[in-house]
Structure formats: structure tokens, C-alpha cells
Amino acid sequence: MQIWTGLEEAVCETPTAVACGYFDGLHIGHAAVIGEAVAQAQALGVEPGVFTFTLHGGHPAAKPEGCELLTEGEKYRILEAWGVRRVLCPDFSQFQSMSPEAFVEEILCRRLRAAVVCCGEDFRFGSRASGDVSLLRRLCAQRGVQVAVVPEVDCGGSRVSSTRIRALLGEGRVEEANQLLGRAFGYDFIVIHGKRLGRTIDSPTINQRMPVGFVRLRHGVYASVTLAQGRLWPSVTNVGLRPTVEDSRAVNSETYLHGFSGDLYGQRVPVRLLRFLRDEQKFDSVERLRAQIQADAEACLPVARAYIEEKSIEMRISPLQPGERVL
């Protein structure tokens, strides 16, 4: 998959079916838009591509700051698993002042050589989000480019959106969030050194610092699975401030991998949250903390093992997309 992070870098030798959007969560609604671009590409004999962007240098008015649902690396891995072959992902600051006309001409036509543009019904583009789907149709028609508008996806009687998913995660309703995402929510932050307390109480854990810009999760303990050494491990994850062992305001993810032994420091380790178990709490002794970790680990086992078995079956049925189907 080709990835361009600057507008000037993007040079396409052949036409592209382009899915347009921020795609911040890559949920099932986003999957419908991107899936349409992949289908159009197959029908037209062109390359499937995505135009998206980062928010390092500025934020559109409609996009919240500090609520990322996945890392850039995971975003690219999911897009590739979905069949995307070209991604233009500049920072918002690189094109935020473009008029709608300039956006279509410079980005869609000149840089991506769009044969067809796919988007959702609420897609906006151009300076101050002044362009809508109606204008996109007119501008593309003038340039011989097709437009495919994908209807919104509903789940449980309401529209699927990243805002809805963030709200669910903030309430600890991770199973409902996972349904809207179409996969288990998680992250792959670098494993850092903690206080090494877990080793002293026979419960070694991996620590991952939650970045300031990442989505705010309900603090507490989750049944989870963790990908390490090429396989999924049942695990239990505490997201929060670790009040028993640390006085800090930095949010940390601390995960105990059931049956695992190894050194993961410095690695990006994917953790997936499956079910909220209980709120974070402070214990009056390390021994009570140890007992609770072991109890939580046992409680998560049926949930994690069922998930691992389900993914194992999916892999045997469809082995061509191992990365996303495992997680």
C-alpha cells in the first residue's frame, strides 16, 4: 500500500477510486464508504484509495480535539486489510484554506487522479467546510468524475458515529462500542518500564502510557486479549491512575497476560478490550492488590478464550486477511 503524508508527494500513474473522509474510528459506517471505493475500483479496473488526514497542525470545527480512537499505524493496517492500495493522509493544516473547487481540482483530480469519489451523506470539504455533497457532485461532473454517496449506517436504531463510540467507551460500555467498530477496540502503544511491582507479587504486567490525545476511557478493569510473540493471550487490563502503587495524573494501561513469560519492553503491543469488569479501586495493601489481580485474571478467562476461539475459526475460514481478523 502506498502512503503519502504530504500533498506534493502524491503522484498517481493510474486512476483511483477515492474514499474521502477523516475516518477517525474506521467503524462500520466508515467501512461502508471504503468498501464502496474498493468495489468501484474493481468494477472500473482502477486502484482503490483513501483520502484522509491527521490533526497535528489544526482541527476542523466539527472534529473534537484529543479523542483519537486508533493510532495512525493501526489506521493504515486496517485500511490495507480492507483492500486499500493508496492512501493520501496529509495534515489538516496543509489544505484547510483550500476552496472546494481547489480541493477537487488539486487533491482529487491532480494528485489522486480520481475516477470516482465515494463519501458519506454528511461529507464536507473545502475551507470552513463550505462544500457539501451537492457541490461535490457538480464539481466532479464538470471534470468527468463519478460520485458515489453511501447512506449512513444505523445500529440499534441510531446512526453509527465516532462520537457515539467515544461516549460508549467513556461509560465503559466497550461491548457496544465494539459492535459499532466491527472489531474489538484497542491500542498498540509502546511498552514502558513501570515500577516492576507486578514481578514481586507474581503478576508481571506490561505498562503502556495513554497519550493525552487518545480517547478517554472509563477507568477500571477490563477483560482483554493481547497480541505478543505472534499469538493472542487472554489478559486483564487496568486503565487508570494505579492509585494503590502510584500518585500520578497520567493515565496508564497495565495488562497482565495469562500464562505469558517474556520481555516486551520497547515494543508496540496490541491490546484489545472485550468487557468492562469493575471500576478502578485503591487497595490498602499490595497483597490485596495481588489477590484481586488474580481474581480479575480468572474472571476474564472465559471472555478472552471465547474471543480467541472465534478469531481462530475466522482465520481458518478466511486466511487471506490475518492481521485484522485476528484482532
Side-chain angles (χ1 to χ4, degrees), residues 5-11 51 88 90 94-95 98 106-107 111:
T5 57
L7 296 181
E8 298 300 321
E9 300 172 8
V11 178
F51 174 81
L88 177 52
Q94 294 185 36
F95 63 92
M98 278 188 178
E106 174 65 19
I107 294 178
R111 295 295 170 187

Side-chain angles (χ1 to χ4, degrees), residues 175-193:
E175 291 171 283
E176 295 172 66
N178 291 348
Q179 184 179 11
L180 304 187
L181 284 167
R183 65 183 186 281
F185 167 82
Y187 37 84
D188 63 345
F189 303 125
I190 293 174
V191 176
I192 61 174
H193 288 278

Side-chain angles (χ1 to χ4, degrees), residues 9-308:
E9 300 172 8
V11 178
C12 294
E13 300 290 337
T14 57
T16 309
V18 184
C20 286
Y22 180 35
F23 301 133
D24 49 344
L26 288 183
H27 52 61
I28 58 176
H30 295 152
V33 175
I34 295 166
E36 178 64 22
V38 173
Q40 292 277 351
Q42 293 173 343
L44 297 173
V46 302
E47 290 294 300
V50 164
F51 174 81
T52 185
F53 53 92
T54 57
L55 299 175
H56 303 311
H59 286 257
K63 303 300 179 187
E65 188 172 2
C67 290
E68 296 173 356
L69 285 167
L70 74 173
T71 63
E72 287 182 41
E74 289 204 303
K75 191 172 190 177
Y76 295 144
R77 283 192 290 275
I78 293 171
L79 290 175
E80 187 168 29
W82 286 355
V84 174
R85 294 296 170 259
R86 293 172 178 169
V87 178
L88 177 52
C89 185
D91 191 73
F92 177 66
S93 59
Q94 294 185 36
F95 63 92
Q96 67 182 106
S97 62
M98 278 188 178
S99 67
E101 292 80 4
F103 178 87
V104 171
E105 181 61 35
E106 174 65 19
I107 294 178
L108 298 183
C109 293
R110 183 182 174 197
R111 295 295 170 187
L112 290 172
R113 294 190 60 185
V116 57
V117 176
C118 304
C119 64
E121 295 173 325
D122 60 350
F123 178 64
R124 308 289 300 196
F125 65 104
S127 178
R128 300 182 182 276
S130 55
D132 58 10
V133 167
S134 177
L135 180 58
L136 180 67
R137 289 187 189 277
R138 294 203 304 273
L139 294 175
C140 285
Q142 294 169 6
R143 294 162 174 81
V145 177
Q146 303 175 44
V147 173
V149 179
V150 179
E152 65 180 32
V153 175
D154 289 345
C155 184
S158 299
R159 173 176 171 269
V160 175
S161 71
S162 297
T163 299
R164 184 179 169 191
I165 292 169
R166 290 186 189 97
L168 290 170
L169 291 173
E171 297 170 3
R173 297 160 63 184
V174 68
E175 291 171 283
E176 295 172 66
N178 291 348
Q179 184 179 11
L180 304 187
L181 284 167
R183 65 183 186 281
F185 167 82
Y187 37 84
D188 63 345
F189 303 125
I190 293 174
V191 176
I192 61 174
H193 288 278
K195 292 183 175 294
R196 297 178 181 267
L197 178 64
R199 297 181 183 277
T200 68
I201 58 175
D202 298 323
S203 300
T205 58
I206 61 169
N207 290 277
Q208 297 166 294
R209 188 71 76 200
M210 309 295 279
V212 174
F214 204 62
V215 63
R216 297 169 182 84
L217 305 176
R218 180 177 177 180
H219 291 185
V221 176
Y222 295 81
S224 61
V225 291
T226 301
L227 181 64
Q229 296 181 347
R231 57 166 282 194
L232 283 172
W233 299 82
S235 56
V236 58
T237 299
N238 182 89
V239 175
L241 306 177
R242 305 197 299 175
T244 303
V245 300
E246 190 171 16
D247 182 15
S248 171
R249 303 310 300 171
V251 180
N252 193 72
S253 167
E254 186 172 14
T255 301
Y256 169 75
L257 282 66
H258 190 89
F260 176 82
S261 177
D263 185 352
L264 300 174
Y265 290 120
Q267 299 181 36
R268 284 192 173 274
V269 174
V271 175
R272 298 291 177 261
L273 306 184
L274 305 179
R275 180 180 298 173
F276 185 83
L277 299 179
R278 63 174 177 83
D279 285 317
E280 186 177 42
Q281 62 187 102
K282 185 173 183 177
F283 295 92
D284 55 16
S285 71
V286 172
E287 186 57 35
R288 290 196 64 182
L289 171 62
R290 175 189 180 279
Q292 187 61 57
I293 291 175
Q294 294 300 323
D296 291 336
E298 290 299 320
C300 88
L301 277 176
V303 179
R305 285 173 173 166
Y307 178 87
I308 292 170

